[in-house]
């Protein structure tokens, strides 16, 4: 599950490899989206936040390396300081702060 927080009310749109997969109602500051499956390989998860002040975005490179029932390693990178959190079945299992230009592993 990817959870995105925005510092001001906006419409949040989640993309997987440049295809929109979820759009929030207007005026929210948080949205969560779970990808039920994704093929192995590198994918870009991107989120845009749009309101009367303009549009901003953030993205993560998501590397799907394994299949169901195997251990998984997730890496996240960001162009700004970000806190990444991993949830399994709704429970927080890992949290990491990612600094600009670095990769965090969960």
């Amino acid at each position: 599950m990817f959870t995105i927080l925005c510092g001001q009310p906006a419409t949040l749109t989640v993309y997987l490899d440049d295809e929109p997969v979820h759009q929030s109602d207007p005026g929210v500051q948080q949205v969560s989206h779970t990808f039920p499956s994704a093929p192995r390989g590198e994918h870009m998860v991107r989120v845009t936040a749009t309101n009367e002040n303009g549009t901003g975005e953030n993205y993560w490179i998501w590397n799907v390396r394994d299949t169901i029932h195997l251990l998984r390693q997730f890496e996240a990178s960001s162009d700004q300081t970000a806190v990444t959190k991993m949830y399994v079945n709704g429970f927080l299992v890992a949290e990491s702060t990612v600094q600009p230009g670095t990769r965090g592993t969960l």
Side-chain angles (χ1 to χ4, degrees):
M1 177 184 339
F2 287 83
T3 299
I4 300 89
L5 302 172
C6 185
Q8 52 186 283
T11 299
L12 304 173
T13 305
V14 180
Y15 298 82
L16 180 62
D17 298 326
D18 291 324
E19 294 293 324
V21 295
H22 179 77
Q23 186 172 54
S24 74
D25 292 328
V28 301
Q29 290 185 256
Q30 177 177 325
V31 69
S32 295
H33 183 73
T34 301
F35 297 96
S37 65
R40 286 184 181 192
E42 191 170 277
H43 302 279
M44 182 174 64
V45 176
R46 182 170 59 102
V47 177
T48 60
T50 304
N51 64 16
E52 63 276 357
N53 297 321
T55 299
E57 70 175 40
N58 203 350
Y59 68 91
W60 301 266
I61 301 301
W62 180 27
N63 195 341
V64 179
R65 299 182 193 184
D66 54 12
T67 57
I68 295 173
H69 304 299
L70 295 177
L71 295 176
R72 290 164 172 73
Q73 177 175 320
F74 295 90
E75 293 181 356
S77 60
S78 178
D79 61 352
Q80 55 189 303
T81 300
V83 175
T84 58
K85 296 180 180 183
M86 179 182 287
Y87 291 83
V88 175
N89 296 327
F91 295 96
L92 179 65
V93 296
E95 182 174 332
S96 175
T97 300
V98 179
Q99 300 297 326
T102 65
R103 287 188 167 201
T105 302
L106 297 173

